[in-house]
Amino acid sequence: MVEYEVLGDGRPWVITPGGRFSKDSPGVRELATALADRGNRVLIWDRPNCGASDVCFTGTSESAMQADVLAGLLEQLGMTPAVIAGGSGGSRVSLLTAARHREVAAGLAMWWTSGGVYGLMILGVHYCGESLKAAWNGGMEAVVALPEWAEVLERNPANRQRFLDQDPAEFIATMERWMSAYCTCGEELVPGLKDADARRLDVPSLVFRSGASDFNHTRATSEQLAALLPNARLVEPPWGDGEWNERSAARADGQGEGLFSGWPRLAPVLHEWAGEVLGAPMPG
């Protein structure tokens, strides 16, 4: 089961948040509403392992699994081809969706794309490390006790049994496989997408330049991604250089509005770009 909501009518869009945050994180729905108010039909959703959706431990990586699910959801809803957009982890899922399922993508917009040796190594540990260690030392009962899974258990109680049904050895192997996807080696600027495949991805793309101060989503990663994609435009974001760091620090202190609270400011740029490169949407 995938939790989702569709707002508005018009050109199809999907917005994917980062981390394991849900569609209800501050800023996500507000961006979707701002796009819907401009005449777009916008999907927001909880990826598997996020929010109220089911947990799922298949696929070569967590992001690849989520990308495949998103492509299927867009087809099920009759929202293809769509403008696929997202930030941070949602940027990676958006890119993989377009690359693995080119037919569902009309356009691609990304910001805060994770990258750099430090940024990617931290992601592997963040997404997989604690769950792997818990399963190794205490089995699946220890995994479901981790704070990082509290939301998916609270909002979808059936997920508890889905965890407990996992064979610990197989779960550990999955976490190791998913963690290895973030290895900063080979020819993959973005985990799960070979640079050569990125060069062949002809979908119109908008890449927002990352802040120079952001070591989780390095500026070099955003610039290199825009250079790799053959039909990409690199633009400045509608916020200052310290946006990610400042919101992260505020969240760590239990303050602020949330990591994605500034996202509604993207709506005018996104809407104008889509109209320019894709033309007027077809009547529904």
Side-chain angles (χ1 to χ4, degrees):
M1 186 274 292
V2 176
E3 182 77 9
Y4 69 88
E5 185 175 344
V6 177
L7 296 81
D9 292 293
R11 187 192 308 278
W13 287 73
V14 55
I15 307 296
T16 302
R20 286 206 177 103
F21 292 96
S22 80
K23 62 180 176 57
D24 300 315
S25 299
V28 178
R29 182 183 305 277
E30 290 80 0
L31 171 56
T33 299
L35 286 170
D37 289 345
R38 289 170 166 80
N40 298 285
R41 185 183 183 206
V42 189
L43 166 68
I44 54 176
W45 68 305
D46 289 347
R47 289 155 290 154
N49 304 337
C50 305
S53 289
D54 291 353
V55 294
C56 179
F57 303 106
T58 62
T60 55
S61 72
E62 187 171 25
S63 297
M65 175 271 291
Q66 292 170 343
D68 292 346
V69 170
L70 176 56
L73 180 60
L74 287 169
E75 290 177 341
Q76 177 184 327
L77 295 174
M79 292 183 64
T80 61
V83 182
I84 303 174
S88 196
S91 170
R92 182 173 56 256
V93 171
S94 297
L95 179 58
L96 290 177
T97 303
R100 294 166 69 89
H101 306 274
R102 176 62 182 86
E103 69 282 359
V104 309
L108 182 61
M110 297 166 289
W111 53 95
W112 292 347
T113 303
S114 302
V117 173
Y118 177 83
L120 293 181
M121 292 181 70
I122 286 294
L123 283 186
V125 173
H126 172 71
Y127 284 127
C128 307
E130 289 303 313
S131 292
L132 191 160
K133 182 170 67 174
W136 194 293
N137 292 326
M140 298 311 297
E141 285 284 358
V143 176
V144 297
L146 291 172
E148 66 190 79
W149 295 114
E151 182 179 15
V152 297
L153 295 173
E154 178 182 351
R155 297 186 60 182
N156 187 338
N159 276 332
R160 178 179 177 83
Q161 193 58 49
R162 293 187 181 96
F163 272 107
L164 298 179
D165 287 343
Q166 300 291 313
D167 176 77
E170 292 182 5
F171 181 81
I172 289 168
T174 296
M175 292 298 103
E176 289 181 332
R177 182 175 70 252
W178 285 6
M179 182 181 285
S180 70
Y182 296 101
C183 175
T184 55
C185 51
E187 295 186 0
E188 290 189 2
L189 176 69
V190 176
L193 180 65
K194 294 184 182 302
D195 290 357
D197 293 335
R199 293 188 183 97
R200 289 191 289 269
L201 184 56
D202 62 348
V203 62
S205 302
L206 187 67
V207 179
F208 289 90
R209 193 193 310 268
S210 294
S213 65
D214 187 349
F215 54 72
N216 291 286
H217 321 94
T218 66
R219 171 164 287 184
T221 299
S222 62
E223 294 173 343
Q224 291 168 23
L225 178 59
L228 275 177
L229 297 170
N231 198 8
R233 179 183 303 175
L234 181 68
V235 298
E236 299 299 328
W239 45 63
D241 182 84
E243 176 78 2
W244 172 265
N245 291 339
E246 291 163 7
R247 292 196 181 278
S248 296
R251 180 175 178 272
D253 291 339
Q255 302 173 1
E257 300 172 295
L259 291 174
F260 314 138
S261 297
W263 284 17
R265 297 167 63 187
L266 293 164
V269 181
L270 291 170
H271 179 74
E272 181 178 351
W273 163 78
E276 179 184 340
V277 300
L278 301 176
M282 296 294 291

